[in-house]
Amino acid sequence: MSTATDQTQPNDDTSLPDYPGTRSPGCPFDPPPVLAGWRGTEGLTRVRLSNGRIAWAVTRYDDVKQVLGDPRLSADGHRYPQLMETQQRGQPQAFPRMDAPEHSRIRRTLTGEFTVKRVEAMRPQVRSLVDRFLEEMIATGSPADLVRAYALPIPSLVISLLLGVPYDDHAFFQTRSATLMRKGVPQEERQAAGGELFGYLLDLVKRKEREPGDDLVSRLVTERVVTGDLTHLDVAMNSMVILMAGHETTANMIALGTLALLENPRQAARIRDTDDPKVVADAVEELLRYLSIAQDMLVRVATEDLDVGGHLVREGEMLVFGVPSANRDNSVFEPADVLDLARDARGHVAFGYGVHQCLGQSLARVELHEALPALLRRLPDLRLAVPLEELSFRHDMVVYGVYELPVAW
């Protein structure tokens, strides 16, 4: 028999704390302090999301893994429209906003492009792009904005090449993606940006049908649309999700990871002074755990009453998963608030957990494995060009990071 506590929603929603809370100005790498308090006491806390929705914040590591692996939690935006913010009429669901079996069916059409073997075959190409943008930044001269010169163009070009999106259009898709990732954007503006990006990709899909190339969109059109497995609209919508996630997340990890290493020079030396791929790979896992840039991207709805960490979550209630909090849980990663690149951080949930975990995580890892060591080795005296407190952090985005990173060498 369940012993879950029935904590019903307060009558006065204005009394609820905002999620994910405010980070401490002097600790830009740490999650908002309020999350540690919730994790240590309640575990689940009723909160108000940036879009005004009310949800349970899941903050403990064990609870996050339990619930993300529970089939009683739904990601289906058709069944639960409160999960959607940018959907317009005529647009299909993207696979992250589906449940099994449809989620599994669509995801299988994409998985082959992101296997470890397939991504490893791309490593020389990624390395070449890293070298290219690094040399261009050096040639332009010190100081430079690492975000614009290095962190953003590398994953943008990689995902463009993989999908078959012309990189010359990067300014278009980066600005629309940024609008969709920003909290508090008026619904009309958000839907306009989503409609423009979806329309762009639908035109690309039709063009690839006429003139296929060696890229993901072309293969989906020539192998999946012709068989009826997917429609043109399906390909456009899922390409849109991959395009956005493929450059936004990795770009912010490169920039914020670099900043964390500059602020921890002994840890930076562990990457810079080794030629052991395993040491680099372990270091990247720790950076993923420590920084956990997905602030409030993971939301679900309970399809029936369930017990989470001793709390009763009722059917129809939303949950938001505090990935940054879970990855700072001292019961799993002791001491969790310390960046330790020698730590075994495998098991972190930076890419989510369960059937919906990040499809492109292998590609993100390869990009980080190449971008961070190359930067530190080529520019061993790399340093911040401004005081840390002058940096502008992405508090208003669903993916955390830094807007600009002025560096000198």
Side-chain angles (χ1 to χ4, degrees):
M1 187 173 75
S2 174
T3 59
T5 303
D6 183 0
Q7 295 191 359
T8 56
Q9 181 175 334
N11 292 328
D12 181 12
D13 290 345
T14 61
S15 67
L16 297 176
D18 291 332
Y19 184 88
T22 303
R23 294 176 185 250
S24 298
C27 304
F29 308 118
D30 292 344
V34 68
L35 297 182
W38 297 344
R39 185 178 64 240
T41 54
E42 294 91 352
L44 255 62
T45 304
R46 202 73 170 158
V47 298
R48 178 186 297 277
L49 304 181
S50 60
N51 60 10
R53 305 276 188 193
I54 306 303
W56 289 104
V58 187
T59 51
R60 293 174 180 153
Y61 178 89
D62 288 342
D63 292 342
V64 167
K65 289 193 72 173
Q66 172 207 329
V67 184
L68 284 177
D70 193 322
R72 294 174 295 175
L73 268 288
S74 175
D76 189 342
H78 279 160
R79 186 178 180 185
Y80 299 104
Q82 62 266 45
L83 293 171
M84 302 302 296
E85 292 297 321
T86 61
Q87 200 74 19
Q88 294 182 346
R89 290 181 181 178
Q91 294 182 358
Q93 289 285 80
F95 75 95
R97 281 287 168 259
M98 294 177 175
D99 293 335
E102 190 66 359
H103 168 265
S104 305
R105 185 184 72 82
I106 300 293
R107 187 174 174 118
R108 278 196 300 270
T109 68
L110 303 166
T111 303
E113 301 287 338
F114 295 95
T115 62
V116 173
K117 181 178 180 180
R118 187 75 174 256
V119 168
E120 280 297 324
M122 295 177 63
R123 188 181 290 271
Q125 188 176 33
V126 173
R127 184 174 298 158
S128 176
L129 293 175
V130 165
D131 292 341
R132 167 187 156 184
F133 286 110
L134 183 52
E135 291 303 323
E136 288 180 1
M137 184 178 77
I138 293 171
T140 301
S142 173
D145 174 15
L146 191 81
V147 173
R148 291 292 166 188
Y150 190 70
L152 184 57
I154 291 169
S156 293
L157 186 48
V158 169
I159 203 66
S160 294
L161 292 171
L162 187 148
L163 283 169
V165 173
Y167 183 67
D168 288 346
D169 296 334
H170 68 276
F172 171 85
F173 67 71
Q174 286 170 359
T175 55
R176 273 64 178 181
S177 295
T179 298
L180 295 171
M181 293 280 188
R182 185 171 291 111
K183 304 175 187 179
V185 173
Q187 187 70 0
E188 298 78 13
E189 184 179 344
R190 186 184 299 276
Q191 289 194 342
E196 290 172 359
L197 189 52
F198 178 74
Y200 167 82
L201 287 162
L202 185 57
D203 288 342
L204 178 70
V205 168
K206 294 176 180 177
R207 189 163 71 248
K208 292 292 184 179
E209 187 172 44
R210 298 189 303 268
E211 303 171 1
D214 183 15
D215 54 69
L216 173 56
V217 172
S218 294
R219 283 188 285 275
L220 290 177
V221 171
T222 59
E223 297 174 10
R224 299 292 184 171
V225 173
V226 294
T227 62
D229 291 337
L230 298 174
T231 67
H232 294 92
L233 298 177
D234 292 331
V235 177
M237 178 54 72
N238 288 296
S239 297
M240 176 175 160
V241 171
I242 293 170
L243 178 64
M244 289 174 56
H247 79 273
E248 280 279 354
T249 52
T250 309
N252 283 288
M253 267 304 304
I254 293 172
L256 197 63
T258 298
L259 178 59
L261 293 170
L262 294 180
E263 291 297 299
N264 293 271
R266 289 187 178 180
Q267 298 297 316
R270 184 171 178 84
I271 294 179
R272 186 185 60 241
D273 300 339
T274 185
D275 57 2
D276 186 342
K278 184 180 184 305
V279 172
V280 172
D282 289 347
V284 165
E285 296 306 310
E286 170 66 354
L287 284 167
L288 288 164
R289 179 204 70 84
Y290 181 72
L291 298 174
S292 296
I293 60 174
Q295 297 199 96
D296 52 359
M297 296 175 67
L298 292 180
V299 288
R300 300 286 189 270
V301 174
T303 62
E304 59 182 81
D305 292 359
L306 67 154
D307 179 346
V308 181
H311 292 257
L312 176 63
V313 177
R314 295 193 178 278
E315 177 184 358
E317 291 184 331
M318 289 183 66
L319 300 96
V320 60
F321 295 90
V323 169
S325 173
N327 281 335
R328 293 296 188 93
D329 193 326
N330 275 307
S331 70
V332 183
F333 305 104
E334 171 71 27
D337 288 331
V338 173
L339 177 65
D340 179 5
L341 300 190
R343 182 202 308 269
D344 180 2
R346 289 173 297 179
H348 66 74
V349 290
F351 291 115
Y353 183 76
V355 297
H356 284 87
Q357 65 182 294
C358 176
L359 177 69
Q361 58 184 285
S362 294
L363 179 59
R365 286 184 168 103
V366 165
E367 291 174 293
L368 292 167
H369 293 170
E370 296 298 325
L372 293 174
L375 179 65
L376 295 175
R377 292 166 187 163
R378 185 72 175 79
L379 298 173
D381 60 341
L382 189 72
R383 61 191 183 277
L384 271 179
V386 298
L388 179 67
E389 56 269 21
E390 292 184 12
L391 295 177
S392 178
F393 291 89
R394 292 165 51 105
H395 299 290
D396 60 336
M397 306 292 276
V398 298
V399 177
Y400 186 62
V402 62
Y403 279 108
E404 296 180 347
L405 187 60
V407 293
W409 57 91

